[in-house]
Amino acid sequence: MIKEKYSDHLYSGEMLAILEISGTPACILDVHHQTVTLNSGLSSELMIDEAELHLSNWLSLFRIHDRGEIYRVIHQLAEWDEAELTVTIPIADVNKTFSCKLLHLSNGDIAVIFSSLFNQTKIPSQKSYQYTKKNPLPSCTVLNLTETFKTQAKTTRTSKVKERLVEAADNFPYGLAMLNSNWEVIYANSVMENMVDLPLSKYYRKKLWDLFSVDDYNNFFQHCLRAMETQETVEFQGTLHKKGIMMDLTIVPSEQGITIIAKDITWYMDQFERLRKSENRFSIITNHIKEACWVCSPETGELVFLSDSFTQIYGVDKEIILNDPPRLFDLIDKEYLDQVKEAALIMTQKEHQVEFTITTPDGESKWIRMKGFPAEDDGKQYVVGIDEEITKIKEMTLLEEKSRQLSTITQMAAGVAHEIKNPLTAIKGFLQIGAVNPDLRDSYHDIILDEVNRIESIVQDFMMLSKPKSSVQLEYVNLDAIISYVSRLLDPDTSNKEVMIHYTCDSKLNGFYCEPKRLKQILINLVSNAMDALDEDGEVQIEAVLQNDELIISVIDNGHGLSEQELTKLGEPFYTTKEKGTGLGIMVTKKMIDDLDGRLNYQSSKNEGTCVTVRLPFRT
Ligand code: ADP
Ligand code: MG
């Protein structure tokens, strides 16, 4: 660190004059001529009339112990610039203690400045003033010393502020250097020295171009010149070091010269470059996949990132949406808007996806699948997601669904025709016989009625199948009431079997929302199948339990059961093993359970029994 020395500024006479004005007691020792010149402040302090003393006389004023110390310092001071001592001088029988500062002047003289320790107007004493070889350069700058000399007697607030300013400059986290108007370096803090990798103490009062060649640092010189000429602060980025440390440089001009503030930004530049490269790689990936990638901040509703593919998918320039994200909602078809908004909310908590349709500004209709999940970066919450156009996939599945439906319809139409044709043929035959033989008519009556009933139940089942899901009308229902209705309807007494129906129900189970018509029909179909499977004395058990928001109804029988092969056939239209069966019951049951957002499951072992479980959402 460079310290401006008194020797460069002041000579003995001037120094004494300054001290005189400030009222600071001081004297100049001319070691060579063995004389001591006192200023009036010191003369009056010591109560001496003479303005000049012989060195030995001057020394004799001090206590013996102090004399030796002063003598030693004076003779060693040639190696150093400054030293500080505490001395005691007996004045009119009173021992007065002074803090005594010795400064080496360039002409070889020594200035001794006194300050009484009783009125604490001391020369700023810092630990580095100590007379020690380890710290040859004192850390205090001329700025605060001269300032202190001027104001010492008063110890004004300004001097304290300046002291603090100098200390702050020494401890400033950025590089700080000062040049006078002759382009000479007069100050630099240690951060600046490290940054430019030059021991500036050696370059004190050297011109700036002795440190940095004008050719190599032309840009820097241009900026300094501009600051000096325009007297305006100049900021720029550059380097003042061969290794190429990037700096943010600020040049603050004043009439006395310029102050250079340098901030090492190499690390930031490196990070910036690394970030730019990684972002580049990220962009290459995201912009070359057909899905649109996005990152948004749920807190601010701001879209942080949107990949190029967005423009292709949505038919709107991504910049428009980046600037005003809610405009995305204008593209989404109204019937899906609430669903998308709800899905976006879920995405802030967990991975989620939503499918919806949009209409592009060109009027094109598209299916979009949006997937998103929450992510955290640097303590901030984000949602990261991908939008994919699934119009083709949707069309395909729709087509598949349709063709499946179509084949089922054809298959079923053929089945229905066949199933209805049989009883019709029978009815027609008996009617014909009856027409010819009126006496026999009555005996065929029951058979004809049976066949008509059969046709009726087939038609009824078909009507159930064709009911759309949208016709579901939820009502508050009580399972107990429904079960008792079903068991009354299927009263075992009406059949010739000794069948027992048991019913157990979860105690937590109260009323819930469901469609009673469908629920009744489901139970009728399942319980009647169970009863059909029983021998003379079987049992049907109905159980209802509540589990994780699901109502599980099981219909268990100990009837003849089903083989694995038979199990695979369940639900196929017209698959029946019964003489009077339609083979449509399970299919209709399955359709109605689907309508109620439930699931159906069969478990069975041949000759042991069957357990059918229906899981329904428990809506309260
Ligand atoms: P259907 O009752 O008119 O025969 P379903 O579709 O209701 O038509 O049943 C199809 C077939 O599945 C029945 O004919 C029967 O063979 C078998 N099945 C259904 N439920 C059971 C059961 N609980 N135990 C044994 N077999 C069953
Ligand atoms: Mg049945």
Side-chain angles (χ1 to χ4, degrees), residues 444-462:
Y444 298 142
H445 188 265
D446 281 355
I447 303 173
I448 292 171
L449 199 65
D450 261 5
E451 295 302 304
V452 170
N453 278 342
R454 195 171 147 72
I455 294 173
E456 192 190 15
S457 64
I458 290 175
V459 170
Q460 239 168 20
D461 279 347
F462 265 95

Side-chain angles (χ1 to χ4, degrees), residues 135-155:
N135 189 8
L137 280 169
S139 75
C140 182
T141 66
V142 68
L143 199 64
N144 65 351
L145 283 176
T146 40
E147 186 58 37
T148 316
F149 295 157
K150 283 182 197 155
T151 57
Q152 185 184 355
K154 292 175 270 166
T155 314

Side-chain angles (χ1 to χ4, degrees), residues 174-232:
Y174 306 131
L176 192 76
M178 290 175 186
L179 267 66
N180 62 19
S181 48
N182 290 327
W183 294 83
E184 289 167 349
V185 180
I186 56 165
Y187 175 81
N189 68 1
S190 53
V191 177
M192 182 62 109
E193 280 193 317
N194 288 338
M195 270 164 114
V196 299
D197 202 15
L198 284 172
L200 283 170
S201 46
K202 282 195 186 156
Y203 290 88
Y204 174 66
R205 282 279 167 135
K206 290 272 160 43
K207 302 276 188 192
L208 192 60
W209 40 85
D210 294 335
L211 277 73
F212 306 104
S213 96
V214 178
D215 285 345
D216 292 350
Y217 297 98
N218 194 276
N219 187 37
F220 170 61
F221 278 96
Q222 294 282 350
H223 282 103
C224 291
L225 197 65
R226 210 181 93 203
M228 275 194 188
E229 281 178 354
T230 59
Q231 286 295 303
E232 273 172 17

